[in-house]
Every structure is written in C-alpha cells, then in structure tokens.
Amino acid sequence: QVQLVESGGGSVQAGGSLRLSCLASRYNYGHNYYMAWFRQAPGEEREGVAAISTLGSDIYYSDSVKGRFTISADNAKSTVFLQMSSLKPEDTAMYYCAAGPLGTGSDRFAPSEYMYWGQGTQVTVSS
C-alpha cells in the first residue's frame, strides 16, 4: 500500500502561482510507474493535468495547463511537485495526486488507471 499526501494548496489571485507537493510513503521506480496530478471542480469529472514517470523522462500535460504548469519529481525525497503559474479562475478545483503502474498503451489521464490516490488539496483562484 502506498500513501500519498498532498500539500501546497491555497487561495491566490488570477495570474498568481502555487506549488503543490505530493509525498509518497513508498516510491516505486519504473519506466511504466507514473505519478500524476488530477483535479476536480464541483459538478465536474476528475481531470488529469500532468503525469510523470518515476524513471525516465516521460512527462505529459493536458492542453488546458500546457505552458503554465510544470510537473517534476525529486526521487530522493519521494516527492512529486506541480508548479502552477499564470493561474486562472478556471483552475479552481481540488487537486489530487495519483500513482501506479501503467501499461504501455494506457491513458495517462484516465483516473481508472491509477492505483493510489491522495486526499487532495484545494486550489482557489479568484479573479
């Protein structure tokens, strides 16, 4: 079992920045082991925004955050980060960290593909 603990959420004005952190209780290495950030706004489906393989350089971003968000990993600290810049009100959501082994053809942004989830951290962007 892997526990994931998110931190770093908060309230910012549009155009501001936040950095989210996800600490894993056990860090798995592998080209097909991914850690990802999802978000979910009230009444909306959970949406994948960024994913990174823990071994290798595979990184994915959704179109909605590409160029504004950066995912990175500090393997020594078993932590994955999401640097969010140029935040918009539509980025307001609960942000979740997820982890798990994915198959070669898996959708990196399908919630069903991830085995472990954190409790989430709230991000609120005001206009």
Side-chain angles (χ1 to χ4, degrees):
Q1 189 73 10
V2 175
Q3 275 90 43
L4 304 173
V5 179
E6 304 97 333
S7 61
S11 297
V12 295
Q13 290 193 324
S17 299
L18 282 173
R19 189 174 83 152
L20 305 183
S21 300
C22 173
L23 174 64
S25 62
R26 191 174 80 240
Y27 205 68
N28 290 293
Y29 294 90
H31 288 287
N32 288 330
Y33 197 91
Y34 281 78
M35 295 188 72
W37 288 96
F38 286 77
R39 66 186 182 187
Q40 189 168 22
E44 302 287 334
E45 292 189 353
R46 193 164 293 193
E47 171 196 19
V49 297
I52 186 169
S53 62
T54 56
L55 188 63
S57 58
D58 290 345
I59 291 177
Y60 300 83
Y61 295 103
S62 67
D63 289 342
S64 60
V65 307
K66 198 172 295 182
R68 301 188 298 121
F69 290 12
T70 303
I71 189 171
S72 61
D74 185 336
N75 291 347
K77 295 183 179 179
S78 303
T79 302
V80 171
F81 303 98
L82 185 68
Q83 178 67 47
M84 306 185 295
S85 302
S86 302
L87 283 162
K88 305 175 182 180
E90 50 263 43
D91 294 318
T92 295
M94 185 72 79
Y95 282 71
Y96 297 92
C97 179
L102 269 63
T104 302
S106 297
D107 180 352
R108 272 57 174 160
F109 291 147
S112 59
E113 294 289 347
Y114 289 86
M115 189 175 297
Y116 305 108
W117 290 87
Q119 295 299 306
T121 186
Q122 178 68 37
V123 172
T124 302
V125 184
S126 57
S127 57

